Amino acid sequence: MRGTGETPGPAGATTASPKRKRRRLPVVLAVCVLLAGCGLVAGGYYFDSVPTPSDLKLPESTTVFYADGRTPMAKLGAQNRTIVPYEQMNDSAKQAIVAAEDRTFWTNRGIDFKGVLRAAWANVSGGQRQGASTLTQQYARIAADLRGVTYSRKLREAVIAWKLDDAYTKEEILGFYLNTVPFGRGAYGIEAAAQTYFGKTVRRDAPPERQLTQAEAMVLCAMVKQPEADPADPEGTPGYDPRRNALARQNSIDRWNYIRDGMVKLGYLTSQQAADLAYPDTVRPIDKDAGRSDLDRPTGLVVNHVLAELRGTEPFRGKPDEVIRDGGYRIVTTIDKRVQDAAEAAADIRRDTAPRAVRGQPRNWQAALVAVEPGTGRVLGYYGGDKGSGADYAGWYSDEDGQARGFGQHPPGSSFKVYDLAAAVRDGISVKERFDSPDTKEFPASGRTKGSAAGPIRNAERAPCQPDCALWEATVASLNVTYFELTERLGTDKVIETARQAGVESMWETVRGNPRPQRVDLRSDPADEVAKRFSTEVGIGQYGITVQDHANGMATFAAGGKRADAHFVRSVSKDDEEVWTEQLRTTDLGLDREAVDQLDWTLRRVRAAKLDNGWDSAGKTGTWQAGKSTTQNVHTWMVGWTGALASAVWLGTTDGKPLRTSDGSYDVYGSTGAAPIWRQFMTKATEAMKLDPGKYRFGEPKFPGDTPEPTASAPPPSTAAPTPSDSPSPSPTPSSPSPSPEPTGRPTSRPTLTPTLPPPPTITPTRTRGPR
């Protein structure tokens, strides 16, 4: 008998030769090791702690969806894995993997005892480590590796496999295996492999044409033998991915034929069915960018905000991001695909879909747009830049390390006057009340006099009503003198508090000796304390805010003064169980019906806010100049709302230089820069949402306690109003904030908000000194 170490003797007896005696010792040792190993297995079965599938935390891709819950936005995770319960899989891969890897799977006890013996001998003799044989052992090895367990003997593997076979049904074990095994190209588990290689699914409830076929499953199961090419010899040992090279394709075909023969032997196919089966040549090409998972799209910035938001929720607070990314969650965002498409088409000024006024402009031009749903705070569209890995010009978020990211703060200029106006009408100041509105006016209480460094406040352009203008006329003409006086009258604290209550949670202050503006959390202290950090110039938009906050403020006014927290996540679930859901709540800004109607009535008269699609709309432009220049601007804005959608648009530069058109002109204002983007977006988005504009009409104010009628009556909403003036003031603001006047009103109660976030990174400011 070959390999026994003995020779035949007389009468059938056997005697050992001297040479064979010398070789008997290793054999005896091997038997002893095996016997000891059996004891180890038996002891380990009862006493050794080993990871079982219920203990494992298998990395599984988390998918981020648009608000419909069906359209994927991005896939997260170190591994591409989507777990599908065994009973939800079709039979294609179940049969193919058994034929490929373990044809006795349904009858064995989960252990290849011959393999254990070979491993024992290899351990004693110094031979090569033995690979797993049964599917159960292969899963045991993967499970142990995932838990960081290192071992050199097959006995440990046998312990786990034996335990698995006793604790779980064969179907459960096969499901564990198919959801765990690597298939190459970063795909772990059969579902990820089906999607990666064929663009299909193993789910049996999918349409038949979308389900993985038997022939396709055999191609995938062939790859399990060697999922990736050998790094030391990728051309000579390429594995079984047919798209890698000619040798790999031939390997795949040979292995596919082997699996097909096994399918016949196991009764999964008849001989005729096997003969009719053709090797599929529909494997997708290798995609070198497949691992990027759409995170470099504009919506990659949304994902950053999603992760930041979830870190503050109870299920994920204090946990690393891997818990979310590799947790196999379904994250449904608030982003409406229709609204997002309209936002990107309008605000990505490099696209041919952008408004003509902003297409083909210099590379340093940059736009940002955020849209929020009134009454819920859901961010429906978000464009902060064209790459998720790039700068975010629409907002800021806190990363996993607690560091602030994003460049979304910009001086809002005259677009901030919406909050002044809201504070005024809330205090009972009618929009028809008249104000002294000369071209230039001194304000000694705020340090704006002829003898001061900054000088008096100046209007950029004249309006027909001057020097005696109703508040609504001054709003349409964007008169700085009127609004500076209004801010003094209301009190800086009341204006800031109104902005905060509406949705502006952060504002960037100028600190003497620091060239970069610093973030102030408006929720951190009472309004009168916060106001001490800002001067009266806050009322004309000197201090930076984010596009996201500004959009949320507009949504509050669109909802009749009901503010909701802006957020990006609607729900998080796993295995059909809800993990987290949005917390919808609103707080009342304190605007009664008359105040809301006066706000709408006034701001719908801004010509740039008029939409040509039948919707009632209101809005305000804004511009902030570059340095002390009176002819060059660096920030332009357009903000506004309909009853169903609110949005804010910023257009500026990435380097802080003045906006200069491709033909050399510096005539870029809120009405000519940001406004075309806003109008196109609002028109396309409301059309895409297919809502009835008749259900979102603005009310008409009664103007109780009216002051005398202005000399020029207000134009009706359907007619064009005077061209808005949002050009910069020729006079600079002070280099440091002036003392604020004493508060004239008590702060209103503050809504419940999310925890205070750390300040964003310092940003090199543009010295902008005048609003429009």
Side-chain angles (χ1 to χ4, degrees):
M1 297 176 64
R2 188 180 64 178
T4 63
E6 299 176 319
T7 57
T14 58
T15 58
S17 66
K19 184 176 180 180
R20 293 291 190 268
K21 287 179 181 178
R22 289 193 299 270
R23 296 179 55 190
R24 181 177 296 171
L25 181 59
V27 175
V28 173
L29 290 175
V31 171
C32 291
V33 169
L34 178 59
L35 291 174
C38 291
L40 178 62
V41 170
Y45 181 82
Y46 291 106
F47 304 112
D48 196 14
S49 176
V50 295
T52 57
S54 58
D55 302 321
L56 292 173
K57 301 296 183 184
L58 300 178
E60 180 183 358
S61 297
T62 286
T63 305
V64 181
F65 292 89
Y66 285 92
D68 62 8
R70 299 185 302 273
T71 308
M73 178 186 293
K75 191 174 283 287
L76 310 178
Q79 297 177 357
N80 180 12
R81 185 198 312 275
T82 301
I83 293 177
V84 177
Y86 178 86
E87 61 276 7
Q88 294 180 20
M89 298 179 187
N90 67 19
D91 292 334
S92 61
K94 299 174 183 177
Q95 296 174 351
I97 199 65
V98 170
E101 296 294 319
D102 185 4
R103 294 179 182 178
T104 66
F105 172 75
W106 296 106
T107 57
N108 65 43
R109 289 298 311 276
I111 304 174
D112 176 6
F113 288 100
K114 292 182 180 179
V116 174
L117 180 59
R118 288 195 304 270
W121 169 252
N123 286 343
V124 173
S125 63
Q128 187 176 10
R129 174 180 170 176
Q130 301 295 306
S133 296
T134 70
L135 286 177
T136 309
Q137 285 176 267
Q138 289 187 49
Y139 174 74
R141 182 183 64 200
I142 294 170
D145 284 344
L146 284 174
R147 290 297 297 266
V149 178
T150 58
Y151 59 93
S152 59
R153 293 176 300 175
K154 207 158 186 152
L155 296 175
R156 173 77 171 179
E157 194 176 277
V159 170
I160 303 173
W162 196 349
K163 218 173 179 184
L164 286 170
D165 197 71
D166 262 10
Y168 299 94
T169 65
K170 287 290 188 181
E171 288 80 4
E172 288 174 320
I173 293 171
L174 188 56
F176 299 152
Y177 181 87
L178 284 171
N179 277 312
T180 308
V181 67
F183 286 86
R185 299 195 192 181
Y188 288 75
I190 189 63
E191 177 67 8
Q195 294 173 6
T196 299
Y197 288 90
F198 292 102
K200 292 190 173 182
T201 178
V202 297
R203 290 185 174 275
R204 62 168 65 252
D205 57 355
E209 66 275 9
R210 290 274 298 118
Q211 292 188 37
L212 190 72
T213 68
Q214 213 153 32
E216 292 166 344
M218 290 158 62
V219 172
L220 296 181
C221 292
M223 296 185 204
V224 172
K225 188 174 180 66
Q226 185 188 340
E228 301 288 354
D230 184 349
D233 184 18
E235 294 299 317
T237 314
Y240 295 81
D241 186 336
R243 286 294 196 138
R244 190 165 283 132
N245 62 23
L247 178 56
R249 173 178 164 76
Q250 189 57 53
N251 289 346
S252 177
I253 293 173
D254 293 344
R255 185 75 173 165
W256 188 87
N257 288 328
Y258 166 78
I259 296 171
R260 182 179 60 179
D261 293 343
M263 299 276 282
V264 174
K265 291 179 180 179
L266 293 171
Y268 295 143
L269 294 175
T270 65
S271 298
Q272 186 59 51
Q273 288 173 329
D276 293 340
L277 210 58
Y279 180 88
D281 282 316
T282 53
V283 174
R284 289 179 165 181
I286 297 174
D287 181 4
K288 295 180 180 179
D289 295 328
R292 296 172 70 174
S293 304
D294 291 328
L295 293 178
D296 257 359
R297 292 175 49 80
T299 47
L301 295 176
V302 172
V303 174
N304 293 337
H305 285 273
V306 165
L307 293 175
E309 188 173 310
L310 288 179
R311 292 185 204 108
T313 63
E314 185 60 34
F316 305 108
R317 188 176 292 117
K319 297 178 181 178
D321 274 7
E322 284 75 10
V323 172
I324 303 174
R325 292 192 180 103
D326 297 334
Y329 296 104
R330 284 177 48 87
I331 300 174
V332 179
T333 70
T334 60
I335 302 296
D336 187 311
K337 183 68 164 58
R338 302 164 299 178
V339 177
Q340 181 67 22
D341 287 347
E344 293 181 20
D348 187 347
I349 59 177
R350 311 295 167 221
R351 298 189 188 184
D352 292 338
T353 55
R356 185 177 302 276
V358 295
R359 288 203 306 260
Q361 299 298 346
R363 296 296 300 176
N364 71 336
W365 280 38
Q366 177 68 49
L369 186 156
V370 180
V372 177
E373 183 177 57
T376 67
R378 291 169 180 156
V379 179
L380 301 183
Y382 190 94
Y383 181 83
D386 61 354
K387 286 188 176 182
S389 59
D392 186 346
Y393 292 96
W396 70 280
Y397 57 90
S398 185
D399 68 12
E400 185 179 11
D401 297 324
Q403 299 299 311
R405 305 292 180 190
F407 300 84
Q409 70 89 10
H410 321 281
S414 291
S415 69
F416 195 84
K417 292 173 182 175
V418 177
Y419 304 108
D420 304 10
L421 185 62
V425 295
R426 181 169 64 178
D427 267 16
I429 299 175
S430 170
V431 297
K432 289 189 177 182
E433 183 171 331
R434 310 195 72 76
F435 284 76
D436 182 30
S437 306
D439 290 339
T440 303
K441 190 171 183 178
E442 294 184 281
F443 292 90
S446 298
R448 296 304 296 266
T449 63
K450 293 178 180 178
S452 66
I457 296 294
R458 299 176 182 274
N459 291 322
E461 296 179 14
R462 289 190 56 82
C465 59
Q466 286 182 272
D468 182 38
C469 293
L471 182 55
W472 76 264
E473 293 173 307
T475 302
V476 171
S478 204
L479 299 182
N480 296 329
V481 166
T482 306
Y483 268 84
F484 202 87
E485 179 175 333
L486 180 64
T487 304
E488 273 199 347
R489 177 174 167 183
L490 292 167
T492 306
D493 63 329
K494 184 168 290 187
V495 172
I496 293 175
E497 181 67 357
T498 301
R500 185 197 66 77
Q501 288 181 310
V504 179
E505 297 183 349
S506 301
M507 189 178 292
W508 275 256
E509 69 170 326
T510 303
V511 179
R512 187 183 297 276
N514 193 329
R516 299 180 177 182
Q518 303 297 303
R519 175 181 170 267
V520 176
D521 188 332
L522 301 185
R523 303 163 297 172
S524 61
D525 294 303
D528 56 346
E529 290 297 319
V530 171
K532 293 177 182 178
R533 307 176 73 168
F534 302 95
S535 63
T536 314
E537 283 76 11
V538 71
I540 54 176
Q542 173 176 316
Y543 301 100
I545 62 174
T546 67
V547 184
Q548 179 182 329
D549 278 2
H550 217 353
N552 198 34
M554 298 306 105
T556 297
F557 300 132
K562 303 296 189 295
R563 180 261 174 91
D565 292 340
H567 61 284
F568 291 85
V569 181
R570 293 192 67 157
S571 66
V572 181
S573 61
K574 183 174 182 179
D575 300 331
D576 297 326
E577 292 186 8
E578 186 178 273
V579 177
W580 174 257
T581 188
E582 62 184 346
Q583 308 296 302
L584 295 180
R585 57 180 180 268
T586 60
T587 53
D588 198 330
L589 190 60
L591 297 174
D592 59 23
R593 185 71 259 169
E594 175 65 19
V596 170
D597 289 345
Q598 288 196 36
L599 195 66
D600 291 340
W601 183 89
T602 301
L603 294 174
R604 71 188 303 185
R605 280 158 172 71
V606 174
R607 177 177 293 175
K610 181 176 174 56
L611 302 179
D612 295 325
N613 62 352
W615 279 82
D616 285 354
S617 56
K620 185 70 185 74
T621 55
T623 302
W624 197 261
Q625 69 186 41
K628 296 181 179 181
S629 173
T630 61
T631 59
Q632 299 176 2
N633 304 313
V634 71
H635 301 281
T636 71
W637 288 80
M638 179 69 205
V639 300
W641 63 87
T642 66
L645 184 66
S647 64
V649 174
W650 166 83
L651 176 69
T653 58
T654 57
D655 54 11
K657 294 181 179 179
L659 284 159
R660 183 175 183 269
T661 65
S662 55
D663 60 6
S665 172
Y666 288 102
D667 290 334
V668 185
Y669 307 101
S671 56
T672 61
I677 297 174
W678 184 87
R679 284 196 299 272
Q680 175 180 308
F681 164 73
M682 293 293 286
T683 300
K684 297 296 184 182
T686 49
E687 286 176 357
M689 294 170 74
K690 297 181 179 179
L691 300 174
D692 180 5
K695 296 180 179 180
Y696 299 92
R697 295 300 180 198
F698 294 162
E700 290 296 322
K702 298 176 182 178
F703 300 111
D706 238 352
T707 56
E709 284 296 321
T711 54
S713 60
S718 61
T719 62
T723 303
S725 172
D726 63 352
S727 58
S729 167
S731 60
T733 57
S735 58
S736 61
S738 303
S740 299
E742 288 299 316
T744 58
R746 64 182 182 183
T748 56
S749 60
R750 294 187 290 172
T752 303
L753 297 172
T754 54
T756 300
L757 297 176
T762 54
I763 304 168
T764 303
T766 302
R767 293 189 61 205
T768 53
R769 297 300 185 191
R772 176 177 178 179

